[in-house]
Amino acid sequence: MESKIAGLQGRRWLSRACLVSAAAAVLVLGVFAGLRTFALLGVGLAGLVLTIVAVWWVLSRHGVLRYLALLLAVAAPVWVLVAYARAELLWVVLVSGALWLFAAGTGRAALARGAAPAGPAERPAPEFHRAVLIMNPRSGGGKVDRFGLRERADALGAEVVLLGTTGETDVGALARACAARGADLLGVAGGDGTQALVAEVAAELGLPFLVIPAGTRNHFALDLGLDRDDPAKALDALRDGVELRVDLGRAGGRPFVNNVSFGAYAEVVQSPAYRDGKTRTTLELLPDLLLGQSGARLTALAGEHTFADPQALLVSNNPYGERDIAGLGRRTRIDGGVLGCVGVRVTSAAQAAGLLRGSRSAGLTRAQAATVVVDADQKELPVGIDGEAVRLPVPVHCEVRPGALRVVVPRRRPGVYRERPALDWRTICRLGLTSGS
């Protein structure tokens, strides 16, 4: 009881600090800028609009127009800073901005302290007698060798199978063969696509699964709270681990641990040049895709919600954060038993700017459902499954298998992500302006 009271008092003091800082930010502008405050805001808003329009043109235009737009995207913020400096108000803006940042930080901290903890429950990991780890020596630019993963696994008594040395190219078949030989744990050192293939086998056989983040991005490992900077630390789960029950997705009969992408992003992933130059290939192909000049016309049904003709569609194993429209961030949990579905349709700079509003954007549609069915005006669709390019016949059925995967992770790890709460000024005012227990 005392801890709850102390926690509430802490939230109140953080809320008060937030309100005082926000008031000070406004006061600084009013006192030192006076009526020029409105001119300051006008210049700032104009610069923001110009920057957003320029970024949209960078993404949606080719050739000279793209380079001119890039120049404008750089010039607009510089123009704003120069305008403030010439008016001798730059320091006022910087001080006010710093106060707003402090207000936002303390406000979110106050709200976050009241949020319920998320994430799968930990349970004691079973004892392993024959752990088998499949390692891809080429994944992540050679992380298996660079971090000494094979040697570390050997020292912990695990059996290591290197891809490309057994003659077996089907990762799923290799995992089944390892299980048939008596493996009581299956693990993978590789990217998310390889993780998903072995995870499906482990889920079907009811075996514990170990994730070793040896790929390029390792989104699944990130959501499990693993240390992606040092993949070898994931092996600590073999001697001091806990077990988590998490969900596993399937799309068109294929497993995925993160997401399945359709439309613009999937078309980019399909390009043969994507592997060698992701950024360059994306910038080259994106204009035609965003302006609707190529690609299939999609429709999707997520539960009772229909997505009509989205340019890009992302189906994820549990939803991403409210402001994440491309699956680049983290999921607050991966055991919720639902798929997240995000549809994007942007045809103008105004709609592109609206995407900054997150889930409230007119160009963005969100839904959650246990199943998602994606159809198109073509017999086959280019699809990105955990970043791997495939083509699937339509309709593509996506589903989630709640709690299907027994993941073993180290007891000590960086931790599970909690999404930063949006600033709810009503709640902050209620907390900051009231007293008592």
Side-chain angles (χ1 to χ4, degrees):
M1 183 68 179
E2 292 182 359
S3 62
K4 289 185 178 180
I5 294 176
L8 180 58
Q9 289 296 334
R11 294 181 66 201
R12 282 175 174 160
W13 280 111
L14 286 169
S15 297
R16 289 163 187 163
C18 170
L19 294 174
V20 169
S21 184
V26 175
L27 190 63
V28 164
L29 286 174
V31 171
F32 294 100
L35 295 177
R36 290 183 295 173
T37 298
F38 298 103
L40 278 175
L41 294 175
V43 170
L45 288 174
L48 178 62
V49 170
L50 285 174
T51 302
I52 292 173
V53 171
V55 170
W56 167 248
W57 284 341
V58 168
L59 295 176
S60 61
R61 298 295 188 271
H62 288 290
V64 176
L65 284 177
R66 169 174 283 175
Y67 291 107
L68 292 175
L70 182 60
L71 181 62
L72 178 60
V74 175
V78 173
W79 168 68
V80 172
L81 293 176
V82 170
Y84 288 167
R86 292 184 64 180
E88 297 183 351
L89 295 175
L90 183 58
W91 72 272
V92 177
V93 175
L94 293 177
V95 171
S96 181
L99 288 169
W100 275 117
L101 288 176
F102 182 78
T106 52
R108 285 198 173 97
L111 297 173
R113 285 194 176 189
E122 297 182 358
R123 64 192 73 188
E127 187 175 342
F128 312 116
H129 300 285
R130 191 176 180 186
V132 179
L133 309 179
I134 299 172
M135 297 189 178
N136 184 354
R138 298 178 299 278
S139 186
K143 286 186 177 180
V144 169
D145 291 333
R146 190 159 69 250
F147 288 92
L149 298 181
R150 183 178 185 179
E151 294 75 14
R152 179 72 182 278
D154 287 337
L156 291 171
E159 177 185 343
V160 176
V161 178
L162 292 178
L163 283 176
T165 60
T166 63
E168 177 63 71
T169 58
D170 186 330
V171 179
L174 180 58
R176 293 182 189 280
C178 293
R181 295 199 307 269
D184 57 3
L185 176 143
L186 292 174
V188 181
D192 290 322
T194 307
Q195 298 279 357
L197 295 173
V198 181
E200 181 181 45
V201 176
E204 288 180 1
L205 301 178
L207 294 175
F209 178 62
L210 177 63
V211 174
I212 306 170
T216 303
R217 292 178 176 82
N218 302 297
H219 285 170
F220 189 45
L222 180 70
D223 291 325
L224 290 170
L226 299 178
D227 189 341
R228 298 187 299 169
D229 296 326
D230 187 357
K233 289 184 179 179
L235 294 170
D236 291 342
L238 295 174
R239 61 181 180 184
D240 184 24
V242 292
E243 183 180 303
L244 312 175
R245 281 278 187 172
V246 303
D247 304 338
L248 185 63
R250 285 180 66 84
R254 295 171 178 260
F256 66 94
V257 292
N258 292 318
N259 58 55
V260 184
S261 56
F262 304 84
Y265 180 69
E267 292 277 359
V268 171
V269 173
Q270 295 287 321
S271 171
Y274 179 74
R275 287 292 176 189
D276 296 328
K278 293 181 173 61
T279 302
R280 176 174 52 80
T281 304
T282 301
L283 289 175
E284 183 64 29
L285 297 178
L286 204 53
D288 291 341
L289 297 170
L290 287 178
L291 296 177
Q293 296 172 12
S294 64
R297 295 179 64 88
L298 303 174
T299 58
L301 182 63
E304 297 182 354
H305 186 89
T306 300
F307 292 80
D309 197 21
Q311 293 162 318
L313 187 74
L314 187 77
V315 179
S316 58
N317 176 17
N318 287 265
Y320 287 94
E322 284 295 311
R323 290 189 172 274
D324 189 353
I325 63 173
L328 299 175
R330 299 181 65 174
R331 291 163 286 183
T332 54
R333 61 187 310 157
I334 47 179
D335 64 336
V338 294
L339 297 172
C341 194
V342 179
V344 179
R345 179 158 186 81
V346 178
T347 57
S348 67
Q351 287 183 332
L355 292 179
L356 295 177
R357 301 171 60 204
S359 58
R360 293 172 293 176
S361 167
L364 182 68
T365 308
R366 287 182 176 272
Q368 297 182 20
T371 60
V372 177
V373 181
V374 182
D375 210 337
D377 59 354
Q378 300 177 3
K379 293 183 178 180
E380 282 190 339
L381 272 180
V383 180
I385 301 183
D386 285 338
E388 301 291 333
V390 300
R391 296 191 70 87
L392 297 178
V394 296
V396 180
H397 291 263
C398 306
E399 62 180 356
V400 65
R401 299 170 59 193
L405 193 57
R406 301 170 56 194
V407 180
V408 178
V409 297
R411 189 182 306 275
R412 296 183 178 180
R413 59 195 190 280
V416 177
Y417 168 73
R418 293 185 185 182
E419 185 179 9
R420 290 195 312 164
L423 282 176
D424 183 346
W425 289 103
R426 288 185 179 180
T427 301
I428 291 173
C429 288
R430 178 176 56 80
L431 286 168
L433 300 178
T434 57
S435 60
S437 59

